[in-house]
Each structure stands twice: as structure tokens, then as C-alpha cells.
């Protein structure tokens, strides 16, 4: 089982349910922690279409880097499908499935007598990312998200090492 992970992460959905037929752009800006990267930062965006008030699909891309960006970075992107279920006027349950092509550098930290040295392993492939969570909506396009992110390497098992776990973050929708 993967170690526990707390990550500030944008969930990339509007804070309330979708409006049928809407095209949306959801930027990501996040900071967090996971066993693979330590403290890491995420920048990205999703472009999507709301099929109805609960179901949406689109394409997203992101860039993530950790404590040593030259040895620890992840670039990914691909299609997603998300489902939102309003529970109350301010609380929304959400489920999102992504299939991302991922290009990452896994950091390797080595302690020596002269200090800490970093290197990396480069890994590429396709990963499945499933997120389930709850949104607390402050406004229609801004809210707090909490949940779990499960990463499974589909073509390379190294893509999911230490990258699954709980998340906490803010959602911004345009």
C-alpha cells in the first residue's frame, strides 16, 4: 500500500455542479507533499465541456516540480471525465478519471560525507489517475476540496511510486 500523502492540489472542477453545455477552463496552482517528491508545486490547466450538470469531459495538462527541480519534475497531460453530485447547496461529491501521458524525473537523494547529492531516473509512460473527493463551495467558482488521489502506472510501474494519497486544495473555475 502506498504511504500516506497530503497534497495541496487543484481538483479542476467548478465549485458547484456544471451548467449543461458550458465550456470551462480550470487553472491549477498548488503546493503539497508526497513521499516521491517531498514538497512539490503544480501548475496546469483543464479545458472541458459540461455534458450535463453532473458529467463533464475534456483534456488537461500539468507541470510539477519538487525540492530539486533539475532532478525532480513531472510533466503530464491527457483526457479526463469527471462526475459531480451536489449533496447540499454548498457541498459537492466528485469523482474524476484521467489517463495521462507522463514524463517524469524521479529524484535520487544520496547522503555522502561531503553532503547531500541528487540525481534522477527518467520515467515515461501512461498512468491512470483517479480522484474522489468533496468540495465545499464558497462561491460558484471557488471552493475547498479534500479527497483521495490514486495513481496507477499503466505502461510503467515506476510512474505511481509514492504519488497516491489524500489531497487538500482549492478549486478555481472559469
Amino acid at each position: 500500500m502506498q504511504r500516506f500523502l497530503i497534497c495541496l492540489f487543484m481538483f479542476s472542477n467548478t465549485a458547484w455542479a456544471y451548467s449543461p453545455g458550458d465550456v470551462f477552463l480550470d487553472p491549477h496552482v498548488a503546493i503539497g507533499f508526497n513521499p516521491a517528491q517531498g514538497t512539490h508545486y503544480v501548475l496546469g490547466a483543464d479545458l472541458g465541456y459540461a455534458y450535463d450538470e453532473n458529467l463533464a469531459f475534456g483534456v488537461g495538462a500539468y507541470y510539477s516540480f519538487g525540492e530539486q527541480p533539475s532532478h525532480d519534475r513531472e510533466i503530464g497531460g491527457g483526457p479526463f471525465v469527471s462526475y459531480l453530485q451536489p449533496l447540499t447547496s454548498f457541498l459537492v461529491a466528485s469523482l474524476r478519471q484521467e489517463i495521462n501521458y507522463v514524463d517524469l524525473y524521479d529524484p535520487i537523494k544520496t547522503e555522502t560525507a561531503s553532503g547531500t547529492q541528487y540525481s534522477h531516473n527518467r520515467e515515461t509512460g501512461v498512468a491512470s489517475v483517479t480522484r474522489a473527493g468533496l468540495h465545499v463551495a464558497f462561491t460558484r467558482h471557488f471552493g475547498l476540496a479534500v479527497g483521495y488521489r490514486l495513481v496507477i502506472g499503466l505502461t510503467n510501474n515506476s510512474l505511481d511510486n509514492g504519488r497516491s494519497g489524500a489531497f487538500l486544495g482549492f478549486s478555481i473555475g472559469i
Side-chain angles (χ1 to χ4, degrees):
M1 190 72 185
Q2 300 291 335
R3 288 189 252 164
F4 184 72
L5 150 77
I6 296 177
C7 173
L8 273 168
F9 200 88
M10 295 306 182
F11 204 74
S12 303
N13 292 326
T14 56
W16 294 349
Y18 298 115
S19 296
D22 277 358
V23 173
F24 59 88
L25 174 65
D26 288 328
H28 307 195
V29 178
I31 184 172
F33 179 83
N34 67 36
Q37 295 176 290
T39 301
H40 69 99
Y41 307 89
V42 180
L43 307 168
D46 289 337
L47 180 60
Y49 175 78
Y51 179 74
D52 61 23
E53 68 180 23
N54 302 100
L55 187 63
F57 53 88
V59 65
Y62 67 92
Y63 175 78
S64 173
F65 58 94
E67 296 168 358
Q68 297 294 323
S70 60
H71 301 293
D72 178 11
R73 64 111 176 108
E74 179 178 344
I75 300 170
F80 71 86
V81 173
S82 64
Y83 181 81
L84 299 178
Q85 181 60 54
L87 303 174
T88 68
S89 62
F90 64 90
L91 186 63
V92 177
S94 56
L95 182 63
R96 176 179 165 125
Q97 176 62 51
E98 304 171 21
I99 302 296
N100 289 329
Y101 177 78
V102 178
D103 179 359
L104 65 86
Y105 285 170
D106 266 336
I108 299 171
K109 183 177 177 180
T110 306
E111 300 290 338
T112 65
S114 61
T116 303
Q117 296 180 359
Y118 288 90
S119 62
H120 65 270
N121 283 335
R122 184 173 184 186
E123 304 288 346
T124 59
V126 177
S128 167
V129 179
T130 305
R131 291 187 233 161
L134 293 174
H135 271 234
V136 176
F138 299 120
T139 69
R140 176 149 178 85
H141 297 289
F142 181 73
L144 177 69
V146 61
Y148 190 81
R149 180 178 186 256
L150 176 65
V151 180
I152 299 171
L154 299 177
T155 62
N156 182 340
N157 289 337
S158 296
L159 296 177
D160 58 15
N161 292 342
R163 296 177 189 272
S164 295
F167 66 85
L168 172 66
F170 297 96
S171 61
I172 302 169
I174 298 172

